Amino acid sequence: MIMILYWGFPMILFILALFCFVSNRKHLLSMLLSLEFIVLILFFIMFIYLNMMSYENYFSMMFLTFSVCEGALGLSILVSMIRTHGNDYFQSFSIM
């Protein structure tokens, strides 16, 4: 029963986060927030796995470092897009 809580709850959260990421394609900010939610759930799953296997948590600290860098890069792209286009809609952003 406890294993279902350890693995079932994070997997359900991960599936819900993926659904949220796929369904929110209108604003860049909502996509960045759902990506951060996915990263947090992956960190939670990795933390549970590393603790159950009695491994060190050094890799989880590296994962958090890279996820912070990913969040900062996403926010800088968001600020740059708002400065150039005036909003964060994907319809107003053209590659051409």
Side-chain angles (χ1 to χ4, degrees):
M1 180 67 183
I2 196 78
M3 293 303 264
I4 293 173
L5 289 176
Y6 274 155
W7 294 109
F9 183 65
M11 292 301 167
I12 290 172
L13 285 177
F14 184 73
I15 291 170
L16 287 175
L18 284 178
F19 178 73
C20 181
F21 178 71
V22 170
S23 64
N24 288 331
R25 294 184 307 179
K26 196 171 191 177
H27 294 282
L28 181 63
L29 182 62
S30 62
M31 289 182 70
L32 288 175
L33 284 174
S34 60
L35 272 176
E36 288 298 320
F37 185 54
I38 290 171
V39 166
L40 283 176
I41 291 171
L42 285 175
F43 172 72
F44 183 58
I45 291 170
M46 186 176 56
F47 185 75
I48 289 172
Y49 177 74
L50 290 176
N51 281 337
M52 286 181 69
M53 297 299 166
S54 300
Y55 292 140
E56 293 183 11
N57 289 328
Y58 179 73
F59 184 71
S60 63
M61 291 301 143
M62 288 188 60
F63 182 78
L64 278 179
T65 304
F66 285 117
S67 65
V68 166
C69 292
E70 176 256 338
L73 183 64
L75 284 177
S76 66
I77 291 172
L78 175 70
V79 168
S80 173
M81 187 174 169
I82 288 175
R83 283 186 180 177
T84 57
H85 297 285
N87 55 18
D88 66 336
Y89 290 121
F90 276 117
Q91 288 84 15
S92 66
F93 183 66
S94 176
I95 297 174
M96 304 278 235

